[in-house]
Amino acid sequence: MSHGEKADPPSGTVARTHDQPRTARLLFDAELAASSLTPDSLQLPSVLAATRVRPVPSRPIRLAAQVRYKLDRVDFESAVVDPLAAVRRAVLGEDDAPPRFLVRVDEFPHYLAWEDPDRFGVSAFERFHAIMATAGVPYLVAVLPRVSRDPLSPSTTGSRPLDEVEVAMLRRLAAERVSFALHGRDHRTRFASPRRHSELCGLGLAATEELLDEAIAELARHELRPTVFVPPYNRFDAWQLEVLARRFAVVCGGPESIGQMGFQRSPQWRGETVYLPSYAPFYGRAAELLPAVERTIERGTGLWVPIVLHWGWEEQAGWTDLERLATLIAPYAAAWEDFHAAIERSRASAISDAAMAEPAGARRAAAEGER
């Protein structure tokens, strides 16, 4: 391990005090906001168990979880939808609330825009955006501040800033209420093996902060200030989440994140950020997502369900499946602004609950100390 790098966190890392109650409030945000549910209902043992935020497991357990995922022995429906829908039914009775799909799109500019601008340039992305906008689907796009030459090669150098056409596209998206996430700095992997592709893993603290701050500054030149982070290749070291949390309200993940974070339920508070991983069957090509989306709509779970699409994959598939999916999810796709509002409600309410739970004597002493 080089100087400045950090090892994996210990497997016994304990979640912060507010993680579980904030996560529970996200699960029941709509009902709490409508005052159809009282905060006392969240103290049920079933709710406490379902929304407990598990520590990052040891490396062998993470690797075992990756294997189970690849063998289709665990997925978002079985490990997230089923238990969370069950606890909602236990609290609310028959739950027929519609799902709230959070649509994330990777990425713009495409990480291969340097190598193949005709196929992965702005004109191709315009087709994707037209399909989503025509259907009325709000979505978040992961934005690259720079475009690399041969980003899958760690030994290759060279990247360029966004060109005028790409910047114009981003401004158009902003005007049409598309949300933005930072997608690293330039998507260049630090490792040649596809099983280890990452722009962040292995960096020390100073290097991690430098990369993020340079990327944030680059987008700020185009008046973009994302509060969501989508890690390139879905990989970052678990300890880096704290660094990301100081800069972003939401940190996303995907199947590859299991190797660093373990298989975690979504969404969940971890410290001062919300971790939002997405897994199959809601992560993939539109054709693969369609059956799961139909099942979730029919079930009426009322859950936040992160969907991840790659517009480059849809271009390769000829767009037809995406058109079908967009039409299907449009009535149930949540604006990312709504998710951010729910996050802020859960943050404020948990702090208020903690203050109210403080012993009266401690509150009096604190009040006297302020005089």
Side-chain angles (χ1 to χ4, degrees):
M1 182 174 296
S2 64
H3 178 69
E5 293 182 2
K6 293 192 176 183
D8 285 342
S11 59
T13 300
V14 178
R16 292 172 174 83
T17 304
H18 295 315
D19 287 355
Q20 183 278 324
R22 289 175 174 180
T23 299
R25 283 182 170 275
L26 271 181
L27 178 61
F28 292 98
D29 172 72
E31 293 77 19
L32 291 168
S35 299
S36 61
L37 187 70
T38 64
D40 292 344
S41 304
L42 306 188
Q43 298 304 311
L44 292 174
S46 59
V47 176
L48 297 175
T51 56
R52 182 169 72 89
V53 177
R54 300 178 183 276
V56 174
S58 64
R59 187 170 185 270
I61 294 176
R62 301 197 307 267
L63 295 180
Q66 270 192 318
V67 171
R68 292 182 63 217
Y69 179 84
K70 291 177 180 178
L71 295 175
D72 295 327
R73 294 178 181 173
V74 63
D75 62 14
F76 196 95
E77 284 186 294
S78 63
V80 181
V81 173
D82 289 349
L84 295 185
V87 78
R88 279 180 58 85
R89 284 194 301 272
V91 173
L92 302 172
E94 286 301 319
D95 186 12
D96 58 359
R100 291 169 289 181
F101 295 121
L102 291 166
V103 182
R104 163 189 144 197
V105 177
D106 296 352
E107 65 271 333
F108 181 83
H110 196 279
Y111 80 108
L112 294 177
W114 185 311
E115 273 68 33
D116 196 349
D118 292 335
R119 187 173 186 181
F120 296 116
V122 173
S123 60
F125 182 80
E126 281 185 314
R127 177 66 188 278
F128 171 85
H129 176 65
I131 292 171
M132 302 294 273
T134 299
V137 178
Y139 68 93
L140 173 139
V141 62
V143 180
L144 289 175
R146 301 186 66 85
V147 178
S148 288
R149 178 169 64 91
D150 194 11
L152 298 181
S153 170
S155 60
T156 303
T157 59
S159 66
R160 64 165 175 82
L162 304 184
D163 62 31
E164 292 181 0
V165 179
E166 291 161 343
V167 171
M169 186 72 219
L170 288 172
R171 288 174 178 163
R172 174 183 164 189
L173 296 177
E176 297 179 14
R177 297 191 63 196
V178 173
S179 299
F180 300 103
L182 179 68
H183 197 36
R185 181 174 56 194
D186 57 17
H187 214 282
R188 182 173 303 287
T189 179
R190 303 186 66 247
F191 306 98
S193 170
R195 290 181 294 180
R196 299 185 66 199
H197 280 169
S198 175
E199 191 178 354
L200 293 179
C201 288
L203 290 177
L205 174 61
T208 301
E209 293 184 323
E210 180 181 7
L211 184 150
L212 293 173
D213 291 341
E214 285 181 359
I216 291 169
E218 188 94 12
L219 282 190
R221 295 190 188 103
H222 307 301
E223 300 182 353
L224 294 180
R225 295 171 177 80
T227 57
V228 179
F229 184 75
V230 174
Y233 311 101
N234 288 312
R235 292 190 180 97
F236 59 91
D237 289 330
W239 70 265
Q240 291 172 319
L241 185 63
E242 185 174 347
V243 181
L244 294 166
R246 293 198 291 268
R247 293 161 173 82
F248 303 99
V250 180
V251 176
C252 297
E256 297 82 0
S257 308
I258 298 171
Q260 286 72 43
M261 296 292 295
F263 193 106
Q264 302 286 349
R265 289 181 183 167
S266 181
Q268 60 175 232
W269 276 92
R270 300 192 76 91
E272 292 307 310
T273 193
V274 171
Y275 181 47
L276 188 72
S278 178
Y279 312 109
F282 299 102
Y283 185 109
R285 290 168 172 79
E288 300 165 337
L289 270 62
L290 278 163
V293 167
E294 289 174 342
R295 288 192 298 269
T296 302
I297 292 171
E298 184 177 354
R299 287 181 67 176
T301 60
L303 298 175
W304 300 105
V305 179
I307 287 177
V308 176
L309 297 166
H310 293 73
W311 68 269
W313 296 355
E314 302 311 319
E315 186 275 339
Q316 294 170 343
W319 305 113
T320 303
D321 296 321
L322 178 66
E323 290 172 337
R324 291 175 56 206
L325 179 67
T327 300
L328 180 63
I329 64 176
Y332 311 99
W336 281 75
E337 291 85 352
D338 294 341
F339 185 52
H340 280 290
I343 288 171
E344 290 309 311
R345 284 192 290 269
S346 66
R347 183 199 307 272
S349 297
I351 292 173
S352 175
D353 290 348
M356 292 302 295
E358 208 179 342
R363 292 200 299 272
R364 283 196 300 270
E368 290 173 359
E370 293 175 356
R371 293 174 185 169

